Amino acid sequence: MKRTLFTLLFFLSIQMISFAEGGHRIEVKVEGLDQKEAYLGYHYGEKQYIRDTAYITDKGTFVFEGDEPLEGGVYLFVMPPDNNFFQLLVSEDEQNYTVHTKLEDMIGNVKIENAPDNRLFYDYMQFLASMRPRGEALNQSLEAAADDAERESLRRDMAKLSEEVTAYQQKLIEKHPNTLTAAIVSSAIEVEIPAFEGKDADFDRWQWVKRHWFDGINMGDSRLLRSPVLFGKIDHYMNKLTAQHPDSIIQGVDYILGLLEPSEESFKYYLIHFLNEYAKSKIVGFDAVYVHLAENYYAKGKAPWTEEEQLSKIVKNAKTLKPILIGKTAPDITVYNKGGDPISLHKLDVPFTVLFFWDPECGHCKKSMPDMLAFHEKYKAKGVEVFAVCTKTGSGVDKCWETIEEKEMGRWINATDQWLRSRYKTIYDVRTTPQIFILDENKTILSKRIAAEQLEEVMDQLIKIKTGEEQIKSSEGEGDKR
């Protein structure tokens, strides 16, 4: 009997150890907090989410626990109703620990048991807090400095303070290289930019910063996905350091995804993020980034988490968009004039064509029409023709021709396709109206998806570019003659 009882107790102890190792338990006490409820939040990409809710115990603590371990990252102890918070680190080795602090100066009063990484993090936070008054005092003195000598002395003091902080950071990273604290501190250290001289100094500096922007950051560390540092770094690289042109953005996206690839979770998050970002972008031409991601990642099996139906939609949408990207030759369509005669888009021999899809019952089309008419009147002498396709089908085409006559739209080329023989709605992805494409003399797409009121500004720029190119060709020809 005793042996059986001993065996049972031993079995139960094994079960308890197994539970502790496999799950998580974080106990928090905040002296002075009179709320009965608190939340465990966490960073994820650019946002924060609530993971769990805890209610105050008889001991005045909040306990967050579960059978499964938490994913590594920076978590938040959130206190309603104002949602003030302080941060907690979670890693594979720190899933079971206690935190004790005071509502007044939560960072300065924090005490942590069984969590050396958290202790390291708060030592660092307390160090920064001790440095802050010195930095603020030096800044105030610098603003009030009476002469250059005093200002130079204060700048040297500020440099020494910065060196002191950097030395602390580097020592922490060297001594505790695998901690989440070290990963966060390393990612926050700004790269020291060398001096560049010469006429290309600004360009060389920009390129250097781009190459070294992610120095010190282990992009394959999944814990950083659940931190406040990684998204800001990537967002700055893409929107501030990368030229806002589709080709440059594609290079940037590929570069970042390559760095993230060792972390399956981070790679997945940012591939989805970039796909959605450029799918919904309102900037002309950025759909090329969406097409690139669909073709080179989704269509090639690099997004295995995507459901088959959704994957099919993404790939199909990219195939639709690819032929009508800026820089591509606009697909030819044959539509029909009022008498039923065919009109080919590619047979229109003019320097510029504005391909205009519209619907007589569309509110935006009605609003755009005066701008379109005024634009055509002003630019037709500059070699610009409007090729307007009314999108009504079947018996609805009668409404097209009635509106054309009523609005005096016969000044440009008008056409319909009663039975959609040309498939223009599919070819040009005409889901809504109005839709505008600007084509050059070779029917290359120069711009698209712009509003009628933007046409003049865009066309002025395109004519200016074309005139400049012609002048260059002319001067080159004269040089050959000479």
Side-chain angles (χ1 to χ4, degrees):
M1 180 68 182
K2 289 182 178 180
R3 184 174 181 180
T4 304
L5 181 60
F6 175 80
T7 303
L8 178 61
L9 290 173
F10 178 76
F11 175 76
L12 288 173
S13 67
I14 291 294
Q15 291 291 92
M16 291 175 65
I17 292 172
S18 175
F19 171 80
E21 289 181 348
H24 68 274
R25 188 179 191 278
I26 300 175
E27 184 174 355
V28 182
K29 182 172 184 178
V30 182
E31 291 185 25
L33 180 64
D34 58 4
Q35 300 299 321
K36 306 301 181 185
E37 182 180 67
Y39 309 123
L40 182 66
Y42 64 98
H43 292 276
Y44 193 69
E46 63 177 321
K47 297 181 180 179
Q48 297 81 42
Y49 300 90
I50 297 298
R51 177 64 180 260
D52 198 1
T53 302
Y55 299 93
I56 198 163
T57 67
D58 295 339
K59 298 179 182 179
T61 64
F62 296 90
V63 180
F64 303 97
E65 58 186 339
D67 296 347
E68 299 293 329
L70 295 171
E71 300 87 351
V74 180
Y75 285 70
L76 311 168
F77 180 80
V78 184
M79 297 162 283
D82 298 328
N83 290 336
N84 293 325
F85 66 88
F86 61 88
Q87 300 179 96
L88 302 170
L89 304 190
V90 172
S91 61
E92 183 179 352
D93 298 329
E94 295 189 12
Q95 299 273 339
N96 191 330
Y97 57 88
T98 62
V99 181
H100 185 176
T101 190
K102 297 179 181 179
L103 191 61
E104 182 180 352
D105 189 10
M106 289 183 286
I107 293 176
N109 289 302
V110 72
K111 296 178 181 178
I112 301 174
E113 296 180 11
N114 199 34
D117 201 349
N118 276 271
R119 182 64 268 168
L120 183 68
F121 177 73
Y122 274 97
D123 285 347
Y124 175 64
M125 297 287 283
Q126 289 164 1
F127 167 75
L128 291 182
S130 70
M131 295 290 105
R132 191 169 295 114
R134 290 170 57 186
E136 291 173 351
L138 285 170
N139 275 321
Q140 290 174 1
S141 298
L142 186 61
E143 290 178 3
D147 53 53
D148 291 342
E150 184 181 0
R151 278 190 286 272
E152 183 60 30
S153 176
L154 288 167
R155 289 193 185 98
R156 286 196 296 269
D157 290 341
M158 291 181 71
K160 289 178 182 178
L161 180 63
S162 178
E163 289 172 2
E164 191 175 340
V165 172
T166 300
Y168 184 101
Q169 292 171 329
Q170 291 175 342
K171 184 178 179 180
L172 185 155
I173 294 166
E174 291 171 4
K175 193 173 180 180
H176 309 278
N178 298 319
T179 61
L180 180 53
T181 300
I184 293 169
V185 172
S186 181
S187 66
I189 297 176
E190 294 186 5
V191 292
E192 187 174 342
I193 305 172
F196 291 93
E197 298 179 357
K199 63 178 183 179
D200 297 325
D202 289 342
F203 177 82
D204 294 339
R205 185 182 299 107
W206 165 53
Q207 288 295 306
W208 189 94
V209 171
K210 279 192 70 176
R211 288 195 302 272
H212 295 276
W213 184 247
F214 295 110
D215 285 2
I217 306 178
N218 180 4
M219 301 283 280
D221 187 343
S222 298
R223 297 174 301 180
L224 293 180
L225 179 61
R226 291 179 176 79
S227 80
V229 297
L230 184 60
F231 186 89
K233 275 282 191 178
I234 290 175
D235 186 66
H236 185 91
Y237 182 89
M238 290 303 305
N239 292 301
K240 302 296 182 183
L241 297 179
T242 300
Q244 296 302 290
H245 182 279
D247 291 345
S248 298
I249 291 172
I250 286 169
Q251 289 180 359
V253 165
D254 285 344
Y255 174 59
I256 288 172
L257 290 175
L259 294 176
L260 293 169
E261 202 163 6
S263 168
E264 183 178 344
E265 187 180 14
S266 298
F267 178 85
K268 174 183 176 180
Y269 174 88
Y270 280 98
L271 179 54
I272 294 172
H273 167 74
F274 287 137
L275 186 81
N276 290 335
E277 181 79 8
Y278 295 105
K280 66 184 181 182
S281 176
K282 301 297 183 184
I283 300 177
V284 175
F286 277 18
D287 51 352
V289 185
Y290 173 89
V291 171
H292 173 81
L293 292 170
E295 285 189 335
N296 292 277
Y297 293 88
Y298 284 84
K300 293 185 177 180
K302 295 183 179 181
W305 58 82
T306 312
E307 294 182 1
E308 188 173 344
E309 183 179 352
Q310 182 64 18
L311 178 63
S312 177
K313 288 180 180 179
I314 292 170
V315 174
K316 183 180 178 181
N317 193 35
K319 286 182 179 179
T320 299
L321 291 174
K322 187 173 182 177
I324 55 171
L325 295 177
I326 289 178
K328 298 283 188 180
T329 300
D332 193 16
I333 54 173
T334 298
V335 285
Y336 304 89
N337 64 18
K338 189 175 183 180
D341 298 321
I343 309 171
S344 168
L345 174 64
H346 277 209
K347 288 184 179 178
L348 187 60
D349 186 17
V350 290
F352 294 100
T353 303
V354 174
L355 179 58
F356 176 44
F357 295 102
W358 66 283
D359 184 316
E361 295 179 336
C362 156
H364 288 296
C365 297
K366 293 176 183 178
K367 185 178 178 181
S368 299
M369 203 58 70
D371 290 318
M372 289 296 301
L373 291 168
F375 165 81
H376 182 253
E377 190 66 25
K378 182 176 179 180
Y379 284 84
K380 63 182 180 181
K382 299 180 181 182
V384 180
E385 185 58 270
V386 173
F387 192 95
V389 180
C390 180
T391 58
K392 286 292 185 185
T393 57
S395 60
V397 297
D398 292 339
K399 182 66 175 176
C400 295
W401 299 113
E402 290 173 9
T403 305
I404 290 167
E405 185 176 350
E406 178 187 337
K407 300 296 182 181
E408 298 183 352
M409 296 164 59
R411 307 169 194 173
W412 56 48
I413 297 171
N414 287 292
T416 61
D417 188 356
Q418 188 171 13
W419 309 117
L420 283 178
R421 296 185 183 98
S422 66
R423 298 178 56 252
Y424 69 82
K425 286 190 177 182
T426 301
I427 293 171
Y428 280 91
D429 195 34
V430 181
R431 304 181 192 184
T432 60
T433 51
Q435 292 287 347
I436 294 173
F437 292 76
I438 302 178
L439 319 177
D440 70 5
E441 58 190 350
N442 300 313
K443 300 302 178 281
T444 301
I445 300 173
L446 303 178
S447 189
K448 64 178 185 176
R449 314 289 198 206
I450 59 174
E453 58 267 26
Q454 296 175 294
L455 265 174
E456 286 198 20
E457 180 184 356
V458 174
M459 187 56 68
D460 283 341
Q461 290 297 320
L462 294 174
I463 292 173
K464 186 177 180 180
I465 292 169
K466 182 178 176 62
T467 303
E469 290 174 348
E470 289 176 348
Q471 288 175 349
I472 291 172
K473 289 179 181 179
S474 177
S475 63
E476 287 175 348
E478 291 175 3
D480 291 341
K481 292 177 183 179
R482 289 194 293 269

